[in-house]
Amino acid sequence: MHRSLFADPSSHPEGRKLAVIVLNNLGSDGNGSKHFIKHAWSTASLRVCADGGANGLYDILEGEDRDAYLPDVIKGDLDSLRPDVARYYEDRGVNIIQAADQDHNDFEKCVREILHRAGSTAAATTLVAVGAHGGRFDQEMAAFHLLHKYTAHFEHFVLLGNGNLSFLLLPGRTHRICPHPPREGPTCGLLPLGQPAARVTSRGLRWDLRAQPLAFGAFVSSSNALEAREVSVTTDAPLVWTIEVSEPGDEGEA
């Protein structure tokens, strides 16, 4: 079951772990990512900033207790990390790792770092990449590339940012998705990003699919909408689920 990131933590199964990656596009996201970080930071078992993501984390917490939101690691080629931000986190014992490898972008370096640290618990870990939507189009497509490459390694792998939440539905099972209104929806979509899907069936959407082929250049399910509290989807190929996310109405809401 895909439980909402914004639901009451008591609704999640015991033993569930949370890991967070903060990406370099955090500053374009208004208050949405800030609210998620403040909601989830203390419960996350691993918190990693991808290079300049540390700048964004530092900046959005201006005037607040930054020491309460220290990452465990800052990792990347460090071409974006500002000197003042590096000094701040170094002085507080944050591990800053320079990885010059140019065959993997900074986001992927952080995913691999979390896999290494999580070890056998990765399969029970929900990985959330904050700041993954918006910004440069090639970087956003690279984020979806990582969804395809690493989703099978985690319990869930979620892209969050700029009013959007996305994850990959793998074939061979029925996916139960439980959005959390009013934070999620109603607008949503099912997108065959990566390869066509020959048979997609859904329940709980305004325009449900019945063994529907989905392919770019033929037919995609965009601008769909929630009609039920739970949505089920079966697919014969990897399929992106995406849903709009609203900012919370007040500081107390997750």
Side-chain angles (χ1 to χ4, degrees), residues 39-94:
H39 168 65
W41 204 255
S42 63
T43 61
S45 56
L46 287 169
R47 295 149 295 200
V48 180
C49 289
D51 196 352
N55 301 337
L57 180 65
Y58 180 90
D59 290 342
I60 66 169
L61 295 170
E62 183 176 3
E64 302 191 38
D65 183 11
R66 289 189 175 109
D67 285 2
Y69 301 96
L70 297 177
D72 300 297
V73 178
I74 300 169
K75 187 168 186 176
D77 57 16
L78 305 187
D79 64 341
S80 301
L81 182 63
R82 299 198 313 259
D84 62 313
V85 175
R87 284 194 300 271
Y88 176 84
Y89 287 119
E90 280 179 332
D91 289 347
R92 286 153 180 80
V94 174

Side-chain angles (χ1 to χ4, degrees), residues 54-235:
N55 301 337
L57 180 65
Y58 180 90
D59 290 342
I60 66 169
L61 295 170
E62 183 176 3
E64 302 191 38
D65 183 11
R66 289 189 175 109
D67 285 2
Y69 301 96
L70 297 177
D72 300 297
V73 178
I74 300 169
K75 187 168 186 176
D77 57 16
L78 305 187
D79 64 341
S80 301
L81 182 63
R82 299 198 313 259
D84 62 313
V85 175
R87 284 194 300 271
Y88 176 84
Y89 287 119
E90 280 179 332
D91 289 347
R92 286 153 180 80
V94 174
N95 188 14
I96 300 178
I97 303 173
Q98 185 169 29
D101 166 27
Q102 294 302 306
D103 290 331
H104 305 93
N105 64 19
D106 291 336
F107 184 2
E108 185 166 7
K109 292 170 188 175
C110 292
V111 173
R112 291 158 66 94
E113 180 73 18
I114 286 173
L115 278 173
H116 173 71
R117 288 171 175 255
S120 61
T121 67
T125 297
T126 292
L127 173 59
V128 182
V130 186
H133 286 290
R136 274 180 24 210
F137 181 72
D138 64 324
Q139 289 183 334
E140 191 162 7
M141 289 298 97
F144 282 100
H145 160 67
L146 296 184
L147 275 189
H148 281 76
K149 189 172 181 179
Y150 290 104
T151 287
H153 294 270
F154 296 97
E155 182 178 22
H156 302 296
F157 182 4
V158 180
L159 305 181
L160 177 66
N162 208 33
N164 298 278
L165 182 152
S166 305
F167 51 83
L168 193 68
L169 306 178
L170 296 176
R173 69 188 81 167
T174 297
H175 295 270
R176 296 169 57 203
I177 304 166
C178 298
H180 183 64
R183 290 299 309 277
E184 293 177 81
T187 305
C188 58
L190 290 164
L191 304 174
L193 189 61
Q195 67 185 83
R199 293 175 61 88
V200 178
T201 297
S202 69
R203 289 185 180 179
L205 300 178
R206 182 172 300 167
W207 295 283
D208 270 327
L209 307 174
R210 296 285 183 264
Q212 173 71 50
L214 296 181
F216 282 98
F219 184 87
V220 300
S221 180
S222 62
S223 299
N224 212 321
L226 302 175
E227 284 285 294
R229 294 189 65 86
E230 180 176 307
V231 175
S232 68
V233 180
T234 57
T235 176

